[in-house]
Every structure is written in C-alpha cells, then in structure tokens.
Amino acid sequence: TSMNQSLLKQTVIEKASSTAFKHHRRYVQHHLVIVEQMCSELLKKYPSANSDIVFALVRLHDYAKIL
C-alpha cells in the first residue's frame, strides 16, 4: 500500500543518510532517485507489473550495504 511504501522509503532514506554508510552523501540524492526514475519509465512499458513490488525492490536493493 501507499502507506507501507512511504514508511519503507522513509526508513531507507534515514538509514542511508547516516554517516556510518560509506555512500551517504550521494546515495539518496543521486542513486536512489535515478533508480526510481528508471523504474518509473520501465513501468510505463510494462503496465501489468506490480508497481508496489518494483518500488519496494528499488528501496531494498542496496539495503544490506546501508545496514
């Protein structure tokens, strides 16, 4: 759901913004935004894809590095 997506995004941004994360300066502003944009474009080409799952995976694909 939208609320779960917002909570997941907020959690990832908080964790990724920590100075303990090596790439904290660029991850959210650049990498995460670019991957979100790419997925948005792909979702236009594949309208039957589940956008909730796609955006959850956008936020989780580097999560192990952030922790």
Side-chain angles (χ1 to χ4, degrees), residues 35-47 49 54:
V35 174
E36 285 177 342
Q37 290 171 346
M38 289 180 355
C39 287
S40 291
E41 291 299 314
L42 285 170
L43 285 167
K44 290 176 188 175
K45 294 181 187 268
Y46 300 97
V54 170

Side-chain angles (χ1 to χ4, degrees), residues 19-49:
T19 55
F21 177 48
K22 180 179 177 180
H23 306 291
H24 70 278
R25 289 194 177 124
R26 288 183 278 227
Y27 182 80
V28 174
Q29 292 178 340
H30 299 283
H31 179 69
L32 197 57
V33 170
I34 290 168
V35 174
E36 285 177 342
Q37 290 171 346
M38 289 180 355
C39 287
S40 291
E41 291 299 314
L42 285 170
L43 285 167
K44 290 176 188 175
K45 294 181 187 268
Y46 300 97
S48 63

